[in-house]
């Protein structure tokens, strides 16, 4: 079983199309998404439709829940809140009903899936070994996958040994039946200094994982952001991968 996993699309259609094209070339058996389809980006309806067509397992994230009104938007910072309020004004009924059908945690093929973490599936950012182990302690699954931080990450936990860190594009891991927490990184708003869109390919048979980064037309998304009047800082950060 080969699984492609991506997360944090954030209404960035150019990035999503590029990632789905690259995933197609890998011919995985199934595709999963770890949430935050909307928020920040200019194409929430198009991205939600495409994810709903192409993904067999999908979580929701804090931005999806904010746009739906499940989470109060006072919990969001300036540009995030502004983008969520704009998204509310354009979200179509079909996108809304798909987002409403999603949960922030799940399980598939024996792998635990969280938008944030096992401790807090909606809000916790897993960015340290301690936080990764805390999530792995709360599940029996060999592998836990998280999104939310927009930072590609791999942490291996065995007895008292915790190893890992940022997972740059091209990182290949032998999973060897050990316990792992991984974050594929973000499709639509990477924050690890690499502006390319991210996804993760898992081979559960051979126990291998490969972190991929894909070039996409950043200027197209920046132009689309400006066209709908979203904050300029959201366009600038795409070029920086921050
Ligand atoms: Zn996000």
């Amino acid at each position: 079983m080969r699984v492609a996993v991506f997360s944090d699309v954030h209404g960035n259609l150019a990035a999503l199309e590029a990632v789905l094209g690259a995933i197609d070339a890998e011919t995985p058996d199934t595709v999963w998404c770890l949430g935050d389809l909307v928020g920040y980006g200019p194409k929430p309806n198009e991205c939600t439709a495409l994810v709903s067509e192409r993904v067999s397992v999908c979580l929701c994230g804090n931005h999806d829940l904010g746009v739906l009104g499940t989470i109060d938007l006072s919990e969001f910072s300036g540009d995030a809140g502004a983008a969520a309020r704009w998204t509310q004004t354009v979200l179509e009924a079909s996108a809304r009903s798909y987002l409403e059908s999603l949960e922030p945690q799940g399980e598939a093929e024996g792998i635990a899936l969280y938008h944030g973490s096992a401790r807090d599936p909606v809000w916790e950012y897993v960015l340290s070994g301690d936080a990764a182990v805390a999530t792995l302690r709360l599940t029996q699954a060999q592998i836990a996958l998280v999104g939310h931080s927009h930072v590609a990450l791999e942490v291996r936990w065995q007895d008292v040994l915790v190893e890992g860190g940022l997972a740059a594009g091209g990182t290949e891991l032998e999973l060897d039946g050990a316990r792992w927490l991984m974050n594929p990184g973000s499709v639509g708003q990477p924050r690890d200094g690499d502006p390319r869109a991210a996804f993760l390919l898992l081979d559960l048979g051979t126990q291998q994982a490969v972190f991929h980064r894909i070039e996409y037309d950043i200027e197209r998304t920046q132009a689309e952001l400006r066209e709908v009047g979203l904050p300029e800082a959201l366009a600038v950060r795409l070029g920086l991968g921050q």
Side-chain angles (χ1 to χ4, degrees), residues 115-211:
H115 179 67
S117 75
R119 291 193 293 201
D120 184 341
V122 175
W123 283 111
E124 185 185 9
Y125 293 94
V126 178
L127 287 165
S128 68
D130 285 351
V133 169
T135 276
L136 288 170
R137 282 188 194 281
L138 289 172
T139 174
Q140 301 295 312
Q142 179 207 348
I143 299 166
L145 301 176
V146 303
H148 188 45
S149 70
H150 300 203
V151 171
L153 188 78
E154 48 92 0
V155 177
R156 182 179 195 269
W157 179 40
Q158 193 156 36
D159 304 322
V160 293
L161 196 61
V162 180
E163 300 171 296
L166 299 186
T171 297
E172 297 187 18
L173 305 173
E174 300 292 337
L175 303 179
D176 289 332
R179 307 286 314 278
W180 290 86
L181 178 138
M182 288 174 272
N183 184 327
S186 170
V187 170
Q189 194 195 74
R191 294 179 191 161
D192 50 12
D194 182 346
R196 295 177 298 170
F199 75 95
L200 172 66
L201 196 65
L202 292 176
D203 189 323
L204 303 179
T206 62
Q207 289 275 298
Q208 289 171 314
V210 183
F211 288 82

Side-chain angles (χ1 to χ4, degrees), residues 41-46 83-93 95 228:
K43 299 290 180 187
N45 294 309
E46 294 84 346
R85 275 184 285 278
W86 173 82
T87 304
Q88 287 178 330
T89 68
V90 300
L91 195 71
E92 293 166 359
V228 298

Side-chain angles (χ1 to χ4, degrees), residues 8 10 36 40 62-63 115 148 150 191:
D8 296 274
H10 285 295
D36 274 359
Y40 290 126
N62 54 310
H63 285 256
H115 179 67
H148 188 45
H150 300 203
R191 294 179 191 161

Side-chain angles (χ1 to χ4, degrees), residues 198-242:
F199 75 95
L200 172 66
L201 196 65
L202 292 176
D203 189 323
L204 303 179
T206 62
Q207 289 275 298
Q208 289 171 314
V210 183
F211 288 82
H212 290 260
R213 297 306 276 261
I214 304 299
E215 304 265 5
Y216 75 96
D217 188 351
I218 293 174
E219 288 178 8
R220 173 181 146 197
T221 300
Q222 290 172 325
E224 290 167 349
L225 279 162
R226 291 173 182 131
E227 202 173 300
V228 298
L230 283 164
E232 177 63 18
L234 296 178
V236 171
R237 69 188 300 178
L238 292 182
L240 303 173
Q242 288 177 358

